[in-house]
Amino acid sequence: MDHPTQPDSPPVTEYEGKGRWETLIIAYKTLGVVFGGLVTSPLYVYPSMHLKSPTEDDYLGIYSIMFWTLSLIGVVKYASIALKADDQGEGGTFALYSSLCRNMNIGMLTSRPANSSSTLSRSLLDEGTEKQSRLAKFFRKSVVARRVLLFIAMLGTCMVIGDGILTPAISVLSAMDGIRAPFPSLSSSVVEALSAVVLIILFLLQKFGTSRVSFLFSPIMGAWTLCTPLVGIYSIIHHYPSIFKAISPHYVFRFFWRNGREGWLLLGGTVLCITGSEALFADLGHFNRSSIQIAFLFTIYPSLVLTYAGQTAYLIRNPNDHDDGFYKFIPKTIYWPIFIIATLAATVASQSLISATFSVIKQSVVLDYFPRVKVVHTSDSKEGEVYSPEVNYILMILCVVVILIFGDGKDIGNAFGVVVSLVMLITTILLTLVMIIIWRTPPMLVALYFCVFFVMEGVYVSAVFTKIPEGGWIPFAISFILALIMFGWFYGRQRKLEYELTHKITLDRLGVLLSDPSVQRVPGLCFFYTNFQDGLTPTLGHYIKNMKSLHQVTMFTTLRYLLVPKVAPHERIVVKKLGLKGVYGCVIQYGYADPLNLEGDDFVSQVTNSLQAHIQNCSGRLPSNPSEIQEEISYLEEARSAGVVHVRGKTRFYIGHNCGWFDRIMLAFYEVLHSNCRSALPALGVPPPQRIEVGMLYEA
């Protein structure tokens, strides 16, 4: 399949170019999509902490840590800096990586056009590589550095996928745990079973898409965002009105001075207060910067600050209730309404992360970073609304296993902390590179940014890594395995593409091969699939040399994915003559909402009809003999009547003794992945008797 392409001009998001009122409406919509994981974090932050006889000063220190974490990482890093680091309107770790690669003019990047006018890239596009920084030149020269950079970006992306496993588990479990307060006789295993049932139902409903119920997401999250700070204000007034004195940073220093190593270990729980902050950046492509900033700064941030203040105020007066630190601070008169809203909010948060996981997998498959899995678009108007059966059921199994085996919220919190802290640290590293290489930020500001956030997040990472034996190994193992799969797949695809481009068959070379008297033109119409349009696949030369034949009419066919919803019918199939008798080129273009479940005969009819129209149109522009046109059309019909066959290459690497140890390992791993993934050809409805696979070894 050809790499995805898009228009030369930078894409305009669905929400760009609108007025202030529209921006406010969009900001409201972000509540149900972007901030689900972040705004529901009060459900599980305190229950995830391993507190032992906490004092008033301990709680004041913990609240001070959470306040400054939300302020520095949420407001300064993500809302103020990261949102400006867009790549053609897209956000996330891969967006940072793609922009870095393009601006440094290095390989191993996506196929985005180089003439972007995005915030990230416009500063250097007109400058030559001789003006690049020393760091950029280092990456250009060092293969190892480029591979490390790619692996870091992939690990960050895989951590987001790991988030899609843990957010549903911990959110639903924490919300459902509220049922035990009015019914103390219920055991934790019953709550775990109920949570597992809710998640199974949620995953089984994924195939229907979220369009029908998504209009409820923002009202639910809006109700949650409004109710919890109101309860927090009540709790502050009722329990500890002076809670906001903890905003002073000296409470942080006092906390660590007093608690030492125990205080450092508690960071594994406090880091969960910033859960979901990566979504501010990752979902940039679905909204715009202003809407996300408005929603975060004026609703989410104050809501979390007040909610955590209220929880802390309650716990100062009831220090031993930390294991159920959310539901205990809810007044009894509104307990059940808050419980219902909390359960619905946890479900919405879970849905948002599940949908984001599908979207990340889909983009990775399209850009050849992940082995091919089935991806179904459940909406004709929204690119991001996709569903993958294989991914869905794997996520469902992993979520249920996490709940049933690690049902204790503390263990799942340990696992969650690993994901949250590592994603933040990876984003900090990539943003630092962006500042140096692309933005050309003054060194003092870069050093200030890096020292503050790398040290802060590094301390968090060091704390959560001590929890790896207590459940923290789950997301780390999953993410590392996924990153290895992505790296191995992409490395193998790149090596294969390099070989094909180096050994491609030109039209002149094809003419020489067909001029050999021993090569016969056999009756029939052949669709010969190739991965690129500029030249023909080396499999063709292998096929002709060994079969000593080529079909009477051969269509060299390329499937080309376009980053648009639908391709117009008249642009769906593009055909052209290649200058040799009976040899044509065919490009099948499709968008993300186009179905590719054409029946075999229907597909062949569409292509042949397009080819006949092309032959007649060419004759209208150039003087030609009508009898020659009719003869060419008759030749095509005769070939189709003789039989239709679809030929594609099934290539493998030959790993010789000259290969280095890295190539031996990675290409062998790629072959295992390639032999177990779906076919590159979508379901065109080609009958099995018409399919031919040509095996060929590519020398590594």
Side-chain angles (χ1 to χ4, degrees):
M1 188 194 304
D2 227 19
H3 276 295
T5 58
Q6 58 188 23
D8 291 337
S9 58
V12 178
T13 62
E14 180 184 354
Y15 304 114
E16 263 185 40
K18 300 194 176 184
R20 295 180 181 178
W21 179 247
E22 287 81 358
T23 300
L24 292 176
I25 295 175
I26 299 160
Y28 168 71
K29 291 181 179 180
T30 64
L31 296 179
V33 178
V34 178
F35 301 106
L38 182 59
V39 81
T40 55
S41 58
L43 283 168
Y44 45 78
V45 171
Y46 272 114
S48 298
M49 296 185 192
H50 296 263
L51 294 169
K52 300 175 182 177
S53 303
T55 64
E56 176 181 334
D57 284 343
D58 289 336
Y59 281 121
L60 290 173
I62 290 170
Y63 178 69
S64 187
I65 292 170
M66 290 194 291
F67 173 82
W68 286 106
T69 299
L70 285 167
S71 300
L72 290 175
I73 295 179
V75 176
V76 177
K77 175 184 170 181
Y78 281 103
S80 302
I81 299 176
L83 287 180
K84 295 180 180 179
D86 68 290
D87 179 32
Q88 300 176 345
E90 295 291 333
T93 52
F94 250 126
L96 293 175
Y97 169 74
S98 175
S99 294
L100 284 168
C101 288
R102 185 173 57 254
N103 281 272
M104 292 187 291
N105 194 24
I106 62 176
M108 286 191 178
L109 71 162
T110 63
S111 58
R112 294 181 182 272
N115 60 342
S116 164
S117 60
S118 71
T119 315
L120 256 174
S121 55
R122 67 167 64 99
S123 59
L124 280 184
L125 286 174
D126 297 327
E127 297 183 21
T129 56
E130 69 278 357
K131 295 183 180 180
Q132 289 182 342
S133 65
R134 295 178 184 176
L135 189 59
K137 293 178 180 178
F138 169 72
F139 276 103
R140 283 177 57 81
K141 294 178 181 178
S142 174
V143 175
V144 174
R146 294 202 300 272
R147 288 174 179 172
V148 170
L149 182 64
L150 174 62
F151 190 79
I152 288 174
M154 287 180 170
L155 185 60
T157 301
C158 293
M159 284 290 173
V160 175
I161 298 173
D163 205 355
I165 297 169
L166 294 173
T167 294
I170 196 169
S171 298
V172 173
L173 183 63
S174 300
M176 293 297 291
D177 197 52
I179 204 170
R180 295 177 64 189
F183 302 106
S185 58
L186 286 177
S187 64
S188 59
S189 59
V190 174
V191 175
E192 293 166 15
L194 287 174
S195 303
V197 170
V198 170
L199 284 175
I200 289 172
I201 293 172
L202 182 63
F203 279 105
L204 291 178
L205 292 175
Q206 292 302 309
K207 63 181 178 181
F208 299 108
T210 57
S211 289
R212 295 179 182 177
V213 293
S214 60
F215 69 94
L216 294 173
F217 287 2
S218 292
I220 289 171
M221 300 310 295
W224 170 264
T225 306
L226 179 64
C227 290
T228 52
L230 290 178
V231 176
I233 293 171
Y234 168 82
S235 180
I236 292 167
I237 296 171
H238 190 68
H239 295 292
Y240 199 86
S242 60
I243 182 66
F244 288 110
K245 69 182 181 182
I247 290 176
S248 173
H250 87 276
Y251 282 94
V252 177
F253 297 105
R254 283 177 56 182
F255 175 79
F256 287 117
W257 182 264
R258 188 173 56 255
N259 292 285
R261 185 175 185 275
E262 290 299 319
W264 169 64
L265 293 175
L266 284 175
L267 290 176
T270 57
V271 73
L272 298 183
C273 72
I274 200 68
T275 297
S277 57
E278 186 70 20
L280 271 77
F281 185 32
D283 287 333
L284 186 57
H286 297 286
F287 299 95
N288 60 29
R289 186 188 310 155
S290 299
S291 64
I292 294 176
Q293 287 175 329
I294 289 171
F296 179 74
L297 295 175
F298 294 101
T299 59
I300 304 301
Y301 175 69
S303 173
L304 288 171
V305 168
L306 290 171
T307 302
Y308 284 123
Q311 281 184 279
T312 307
Y314 171 83
L315 290 172
I316 287 173
R317 294 291 178 243
N318 303 272
N320 295 319
D321 285 349
H322 53 81
D323 282 340
D324 193 10
F326 178 77
Y327 282 109
K328 286 288 179 67
F329 102 109
I330 303 296
K332 292 182 179 179
T333 53
I334 58 170
Y335 185 88
W336 286 111
I338 294 293
F339 172 76
I340 293 171
I341 293 174
T343 304
L344 292 174
T347 304
V348 171
S350 302
Q351 176 63 60
S352 300
L353 266 297
I354 293 168
S355 300
T357 303
F358 290 153
S359 183
V360 167
I361 293 288
K362 177 250 182 181
Q363 291 295 334
S364 300
V365 170
V366 164
L367 299 173
D368 247 353
Y369 284 102
F370 199 81
R372 292 178 290 269
V373 294
K374 184 177 182 180
V375 175
V376 179
H377 285 269
T378 56
S379 171
D380 290 341
S381 58
K382 298 179 182 177
E383 178 185 4
E385 194 170 311
V386 294
Y387 164 72
S388 172
E390 296 104 328
V391 174
N392 184 62
Y393 293 118
I394 290 173
L395 284 178
M396 182 180 74
I397 292 169
L398 290 174
C399 280
V400 172
V401 167
V402 165
I403 283 181
L404 296 182
I405 295 181
F406 303 95
D408 185 1
K410 288 184 171 59
D411 286 340
I412 301 179
N414 292 336
F416 212 6
V418 173
V419 169
V420 174
S421 56
L422 273 178
V423 169
M424 292 191 306
L425 191 63
I426 287 171
T427 301
T428 292
I429 293 170
L430 294 177
L431 273 174
T432 303
L433 293 177
V434 165
M435 290 179 177
I436 297 171
I437 296 172
I438 301 175
W439 289 349
R440 301 294 180 91
T441 306
M444 287 297 293
L445 293 179
V446 175
L448 179 63
Y449 168 84
F450 183 77
C451 289
V452 170
F453 290 104
F454 187 82
V455 170
M456 185 178 180
E457 293 163 359
V459 172
Y460 270 128
V461 169
S462 67
V464 298
F465 264 44
T466 64
K467 307 296 184 183
I468 283 182
E470 303 170 17
W473 60 270
I474 306 170
F476 191 76
I478 292 172
S479 301
F480 189 82
I481 292 170
L482 285 172
L484 191 61
I485 289 172
M486 292 180 76
F487 185 84
W489 177 264
F490 186 72
Y491 185 79
R493 298 296 292 173
Q494 287 292 108
R495 288 296 304 272
K496 188 169 284 189
L497 184 61
E498 289 172 7
Y499 182 93
E500 290 178 342
L501 290 173
T502 304
H503 298 83
K504 65 183 180 183
I505 305 295
T506 63
L507 289 175
D508 292 338
R509 174 61 178 161
L510 178 60
V512 172
L513 290 173
L514 294 179
S515 65
D516 188 337
S518 63
V519 176
Q520 304 296 318
R521 300 296 293 270
V522 297
L525 171 61
C526 172
F527 288 86
F528 208 112
Y529 293 91
T530 180
N531 287 328
F532 48 91
Q533 297 168 247
D534 183 22
L536 304 173
T537 174
T539 310
L540 174 65
H542 180 69
Y543 176 82
I544 293 176
K545 286 180 180 179
N546 288 276
M547 301 300 292
K548 297 296 182 182
S549 65
L550 189 68
H551 282 79
Q552 181 179 344
V553 173
T554 301
M555 305 281 298
F556 293 105
T557 307
T558 302
L559 302 172
R560 190 180 185 206
Y561 179 90
L562 302 180
L563 294 180
V564 295
K566 287 182 176 289
V567 175
H570 65 280
E571 297 177 351
R572 186 76 179 274
I573 298 174
V574 181
V575 293
K576 63 178 180 180
K577 296 181 179 181
L578 295 183
L580 298 171
K581 184 177 181 181
V583 177
Y584 304 94
C586 172
V587 179
I588 302 171
Q589 304 185 127
Y590 62 99
Y592 57 77
D594 278 323
L596 273 178
N597 54 349
L598 301 174
E599 294 298 326
D601 291 338
D602 184 40
F603 166 67
V604 173
S605 297
Q606 288 187 38
V607 174
T608 52
N609 290 340
S610 298
L611 182 55
Q612 289 179 8
H614 175 72
I615 293 171
Q616 292 172 346
N617 290 337
C618 286
S619 66
R621 291 193 296 268
L622 298 173
S624 57
N625 189 339
S627 61
E628 292 179 358
I629 299 170
Q630 189 59 43
E631 180 183 350
E632 189 171 1
I633 292 176
S634 300
Y635 193 71
L636 175 62
E637 290 294 336
E638 178 186 342
R640 182 181 176 182
S641 300
V644 179
V645 66
H646 298 258
V647 179
R648 74 179 185 94
K650 190 172 180 63
T651 57
R652 296 187 62 187
F653 279 109
Y654 171 72
I655 304 173
H657 296 292
N658 294 329
C659 289
W661 64 270
F662 185 82
D663 277 349
R664 285 177 176 273
I665 294 172
M666 297 309 299
L667 295 181
F669 181 52
Y670 167 77
E671 288 299 334
V672 173
L673 296 175
H674 188 256
S675 61
N676 288 282
C677 74
R678 286 181 176 264
S679 167
L681 294 180
L684 294 173
V686 178
Q690 294 183 5
R691 302 176 190 173
I692 294 177
E693 291 185 346
V694 179
M696 182 178 179
L697 291 176
Y698 286 180
E699 187 173 356

